[in-house]
DNA sequence: CTGTTAGCGCTTTCAC
DNA sequence: GTGAAAGCGCTAACAG
């Protein structure tokens, strides 16, 4: 593909009439170099379009690098975070040969203090880079100053906060995913068929993500308000008021049901238990319960957000930045995958 | 992540009481090693779970490696192949630092001779590995013997041929993708609504892929035969008999239309030109014309086969095998992506 | 400020 | 058969 041999640091040194060491110094702005030499070397680097051999680089660079990832703990067995962890592990393996270690620090997503502590802990590890799920905006705004001061590059994943100097954000466009769900509804339902949105969570606390999905969904559905209804309940209510809910659905059935989070399998089971009719049930995330329900026909579509890929890419990009200082694309949204029974095996 | 330092060839050498050179020899079965030493070293390699540092390896291994890819030419501007080429180029870039070059050789997919020639040409380049779209089965069956004899590993992509000693196959499951299309139809159409399949190609020649898609589609549709109709025509007929076709569709409309290949945009344009009604139009491939039609609403679903990823993965896996001799998964099917207007931007 | 040197983990050559 | 030594492209430590 390239007949000419790849040009290396030595070629540059020679052409510039300096030593390899000096070229290295200008390349990494390490130590002092006469301005004149610097510009000269830079010019030649540009001219020859020098690309470092990152393998030689990793081989030679002996200091261990450390990337620290800060994320909510998954003590509540949230499968989303389990998937995310797999991505972290994969990245760890990829980076082993690069002498780079990944540490994970978890916090309790309902306790701001816990988040602050996690960040402090991370800083004590003297990381070369941070990967953060920035759950608390004000904390981040404060700590970002420290990161900048200590020259620690950081990326966000899962959630995004603007204007604090992040290197990049890896996540999904929640509103857009709601629009995808709406499209699937519209293709399947007649214009006058009613749609129900069921918001289910542990304590009736709903993240920004979930609300954005709903906003996107309703906007794209493009249907009179009266045809969309939103139910909001805690998991506990859902369990205790089953009869009552079944009754409501029997009296007023909804051909389309949209559950804007992982809990959709609960709805699927419920509908089955009570033999309730539906035309289309759409939910989120490829967790085992949902996969099973999709395969059995209880769920019709799942939308996937690729948590594994998000953490993997976040870490790898940060690493690339650390070793090459090359700019990174600010926003990296992962695809909104549409999953049905027939293609699910390719996404697990 | 690993407190213990990574173990290397030297550690093994030391523990076995031999030199690094000898360890290398047993690792690569190169040169002669006393059987006794060999087994001893092997045992220690196992025991210590030695993993070579592939970067050090690439650095030290100076001979250039060559991977040759043999694919149909895209002189007819088939966009599928243009995408595939992008994957080849990406792989080329990734492998640059590994001192590995990718060459491409094209053939005329309608001429068996041309395919034979392409393979001969490839062999003259003394490749370290081959990536082949095995269009002609009998040719491959003959040439595979040569590959084996010369110890050249080869992988297939796009199409598959069994029992000739390929390392792996990268492609799609065509029948399964037809089933995905059927699922989308069934979700959107009432049971009694009719479905039309339109087969369009240059010379009414249809690849195995296309027929498999149709088979899968019809099987999964699970509908009385009478409700599915298949039209088969050349692009030329399609252009010259427009009025006639429009008439037929006006007299007997089909709510669902499935076009099992890239040409679906032609159908979309046609329907629009003649203001014909449809409920759902499903086709294949993310080429510009299809993307435009999807965005404007002329097409409802596209199924994507990720040609770029296929070539990229095929090359990278072959490379990994070449340098590590690690076994490769035999079949690597790419996901059957469901694309709608609202998520397409993440797949282009 | 800059050149020189040693060495990362592995492959390869050249002796013995 | 096998060990010792050189070197891949780069970084880092040490002299100047």
């Amino acid at each position: 593909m390239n007949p000419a041999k790849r040009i290396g640091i030595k070629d540059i040194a020679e052409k510039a009439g300096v030593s390899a060491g000096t070229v290295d110094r200008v390349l990494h702005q390490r130590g002092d170099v006469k301005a004149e030499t610097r510009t000269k070397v830079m010019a030649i680097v540009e001219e020859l379009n020098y690309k470092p051999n990152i393998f030689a680089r990793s081989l030679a660079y002996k200091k261990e690098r450390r990337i620290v990832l800060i994320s909510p703990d998954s003590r509540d067995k949230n499968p989303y975070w389990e998937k995310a962890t797999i991505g972290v592990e994969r990245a760890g393996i990829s980076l082993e040969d690069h002498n780079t270690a990944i540490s994970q620090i978890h916090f309790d997503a309902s306790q701001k203090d816990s988040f602050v502590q996690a960040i402090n802990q991370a800083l004590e590890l003297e990381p070369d880079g941070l990967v953060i799920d920035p759950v608390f905006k004000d904390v981040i705004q404060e700590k970002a100053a420290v990161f900048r001061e200590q020259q620690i590059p950081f990326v966000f994943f899962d959630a995004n906060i603007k204007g604090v100097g992040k290197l990049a954000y890896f996540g999904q466009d929640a509103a857009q995913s709601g629009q995808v769900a709406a499209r699937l509804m519209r293709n399947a339902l007649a214009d006058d068929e009613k749609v129900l949105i069921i918001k289910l969570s542990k304590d009736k606390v709903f993240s920004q993500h979930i609300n954005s999905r709903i906003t996107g969904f309703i906007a794209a559905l493009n249907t009179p308000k009266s045809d969309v209804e939103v139910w909001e309940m805690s998991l506990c209510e859902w369990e205790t008021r089953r009869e009552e809910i079944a009754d409501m659905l029997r009296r007023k059935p909804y051909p389309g049901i949209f559950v804007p989070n992982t809990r959709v399998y609960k709805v699927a089971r419920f509908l089955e238990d009570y033999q309730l009719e539906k035309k289309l049930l759409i939910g989120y995330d490829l967790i085992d319960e949902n996969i099973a329900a999709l395969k059995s026909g209880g769920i019709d579509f799942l939308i996937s957000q690729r948590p594994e890929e998000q953490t993997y890419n976040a870490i790898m990009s940060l690493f690339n930045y650390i070793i090459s200082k090359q700019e990174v694309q600010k926003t990296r949204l992962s695809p909104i995958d549409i999953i049905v029974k027939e293609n699910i095996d390719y996404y697990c």
Side-chain angles (χ1 to χ4, degrees), chain A residues 212-229:
Chain A
S212 297
R213 289 170 180 173
I214 294 174
T215 315
F217 179 78
I218 292 178
L221 210 52
N222 203 11
T223 253
K225 273 264 161 58
S226 57
D227 283 350
V228 186
E229 190 151 337

Side-chain angles (χ1 to χ4, degrees), chain A residues 24-264:
Chain A
D24 184 71
R25 272 183 279 263
V26 353
L27 249 26
H28 300 291
Q29 40 239 275
R30 134 172 70 231
D32 294 317
V33 183
K34 216 200 308 178
E36 195 184 334
T37 337
R38 144 164 286 111
T39 50
K40 187 162 164 199
V41 170
M42 291 293 256
I44 299 183
V45 165
E46 291 295 327
E47 184 198 340
L48 267 47
N49 187 27
Y50 165 73
K51 296 260 185 297
N53 182 327
I54 70 158
F55 304 137
R57 184 173 277 185
S58 276
L59 239 205
Y61 184 90
K62 274 291 71 194
K63 199 161 44 123
E64 183 180 87
R65 291 198 183 86
R66 218 182 343 265
I67 290 178
V68 179
L69 180 135
I70 302 173
S71 66
D73 57 19
S74 38
R75 262 177 259 159
D76 61 342
K77 291 285 278 172
N78 185 324
Y80 173 86
W81 289 107
E82 286 169 12
K83 289 264 185 180
T85 300
I86 294 175
V88 177
E89 280 157 13
R90 258 184 46 218
I93 293 171
S94 303
L95 294 182
E96 233 172 39
D97 275 341
H98 286 288
N99 212 347
T100 299
I102 319 286
S103 324
Q104 294 200 53
I105 295 181
H106 297 294
F107 60 93
D108 180 340
S110 63
Q111 308 269 168
K112 196 186 282 191
D113 277 0
S114 154
F115 185 53
V116 175
Q117 266 184 33
I119 293 181
N120 290 338
Q121 256 179 279
L123 286 173
E124 272 164 31
L125 293 173
E126 301 187 356
D128 298 283
L130 291 170
V131 181
I132 307 172
D133 180 0
V135 171
F136 299 98
K137 187 169 175 180
D138 48 343
V139 175
I140 284 294
Q141 284 170 329
E142 192 189 316
K143 291 293 183 183
V146 183
F147 303 157
R148 268 177 270 134
E149 189 192 329
Q150 301 193 17
Q151 309 238 47
I152 303 172
F154 58 100
V155 303
F156 293 146
F157 75 104
D158 190 52
N160 193 12
I161 287 174
K162 302 193 171 172
V164 290
K166 66 162 181 291
L167 205 60
Y169 162 60
F170 295 78
Q172 50 166 351
D173 182 336
Q176 188 70 25
S177 79
Q179 298 197 28
V180 169
R183 151 73 43 204
L184 299 172
M185 280 288 176
R186 288 210 286 163
N187 277 350
L189 263 48
D191 287 344
D192 60 341
E193 290 183 298
K194 301 242 185 307
V195 173
L196 172 64
I197 299 173
I198 303 181
K199 297 171 75 173
L200 269 182
S201 84
K202 217 171 15 175
D203 311 302
K204 261 178 143 170
V205 179
F206 300 97
S207 72
Q208 187 51 49
H209 270 160
I210 295 186
N211 290 323
S212 297
R213 289 170 180 173
I214 294 174
T215 315
F217 179 78
I218 292 178
L221 210 52
N222 203 11
T223 253
K225 273 264 161 58
S226 57
D227 283 350
V228 186
E229 190 151 337
V230 183
W231 289 358
E232 201 169 284
M233 42 184 93
S234 69
L235 290 176
C236 174
E237 283 176 276
W238 181 257
E239 295 304 338
T240 52
R241 295 172 52 196
R242 287 168 70 91
E243 297 296 338
E244 182 187 345
I245 295 169
D247 242 30
M248 285 169 67
L249 286 176
R250 258 189 291 264
R251 247 173 296 138
K252 182 175 177 187
Y254 293 85
I257 302 179
F258 176 53
V259 182
N261 66 10
T262 302
R263 318 289 186 184
V264 58

Side-chain angles (χ1 to χ4, degrees), chain A residues 277-293:
Chain A
E277 297 270 324
K278 57 99 180 133
K279 224 167 157 178
L280 214 63
L281 175 58
I282 303 180
Y284 278 81
D285 297 337
L286 295 186
I287 64 165
D288 292 342
E289 294 89 337
N290 287 345
I291 292 171

